[in-house]
Every structure is written in structure tokens, then in C-alpha cells.
Amino acid sequence: MSKYIFHIATVEIPVSNLDRSVEFYVDVLGVEVEFKGEKNAMLSFQSKGVPTIFLVETEERNSLSFVNSNDRVEHSVIDFYTPSLKEFHESLQEKNVEVGPLNIYQEQGLGGFGFKDPDGNLLSACNVLHQGQ
């Protein structure tokens, strides 16, 4: 463990319309608004040790994702944890959120799926907990 860095404090996400994005993240992820200015907002899960989400309005049209050069699969840079993966997937579909296929490995029952925010930023949900989480 580093003697200087202890955890991720904040994940910053570029958005084109702050009000629309705040509404999306509050509705879809259930976060609370800690602060909202003209061009940025801090959102929180209200859980100890969990990073906050800082939405920053920008005119740049770069969305968050990258393509794995090995298998050409598009990846998100953020995975959100849910113990109710199938139910969350269905909830997003009911809200007309763009979602990818639900991938669950039957042997372990673990998996995930991708979904997009209003700006096309690729986000993911998974039911995998790692040591210390």
C-alpha cells in the first residue's frame, strides 16, 4: 500500500448537458447531489469509501470507453457494483437506457453488462466484489 494514496476519491465524467446528466445519474444510480454549480456537480452514493462522481460540462465530444486491442471488445472505464444484476438490467431497459447484453457465467453466477449515459459514455454494472470491497 502506498503511504500517500489510500483509495479513489472521485471519478470525473464529461457531459454535454449538466441538468440532463444529473437527472440521469440520480435516477439510474440512485446517487445524491452533494453540490451542483453551473457547469459541474458532485454526486455521492453515501457509502463510506466509495468514490464520488464529478460531472463536468464540456463542449468536447469524447465519450468514456476504449476498445481492447486483443479482442476488439469495447470497455467502460467504470464498473458499478450491484448484487441484483438481472433486476438492474431490466430496470434500465424499462427506463429506455441503452444497455448491452447481460453476460452471466453460469458456473459462478458472476457477470455484468454495459450501458450508456445520455452522452454515450459507456458505463458497466457487475456483481463481482473484489477483496476489500
Side-chain angles (χ1 to χ4, degrees):
M1 176 192 263
S2 169
K3 65 181 184 177
Y4 302 108
I5 304 297
F6 296 93
H7 63 267
I8 296 171
T10 301
V11 174
E12 299 189 24
I13 300 176
V15 300
S16 63
N17 180 308
L18 185 64
D19 292 332
R20 177 184 68 185
S21 294
V22 167
E23 183 178 313
F24 173 87
Y25 283 87
V26 167
D27 180 46
V28 169
L29 299 179
V31 294
E32 293 185 18
V33 178
E34 294 292 323
F35 162 83
K36 183 172 179 289
E38 273 188 51
K39 299 291 182 183
N40 54 43
M42 185 67 72
L43 311 176
S44 171
F45 285 99
Q46 300 295 304
S47 299
K48 184 178 180 183
V50 175
T52 55
I53 297 172
F54 190 56
L55 302 179
V56 180
E57 192 167 286
T58 179
E59 293 177 9
E60 292 182 21
R61 299 301 299 163
N62 298 328
S63 59
L64 297 180
S65 71
F66 64 95
V67 175
N68 182 322
S69 59
N70 184 46
D71 59 13
R72 308 306 303 161
V73 171
E74 185 178 17
H75 289 264
S76 69
V77 296
I78 304 168
D79 282 340
F80 294 101
Y81 170 76
T82 177
S84 307
L85 197 59
K86 184 177 182 210
E87 292 83 357
F88 184 51
H89 189 265
E90 291 169 357
S91 167
L92 293 177
Q93 289 177 317
E94 289 170 6
K95 294 176 188 222
N96 295 315
V97 173
E98 184 179 342
V99 295
L102 178 59
N103 302 302
I104 298 178
Y105 296 98
Q106 296 305 324
E107 307 82 52
Q108 307 96 347
L110 302 175
F113 64 90
F115 63 100
K116 292 189 176 180
D117 78 358
D119 285 290
N121 290 311
L122 181 61
L123 309 168
S124 299
C126 70
N127 64 349
V128 178
L129 281 177
H130 300 282
Q131 185 175 350
Q133 293 180 323

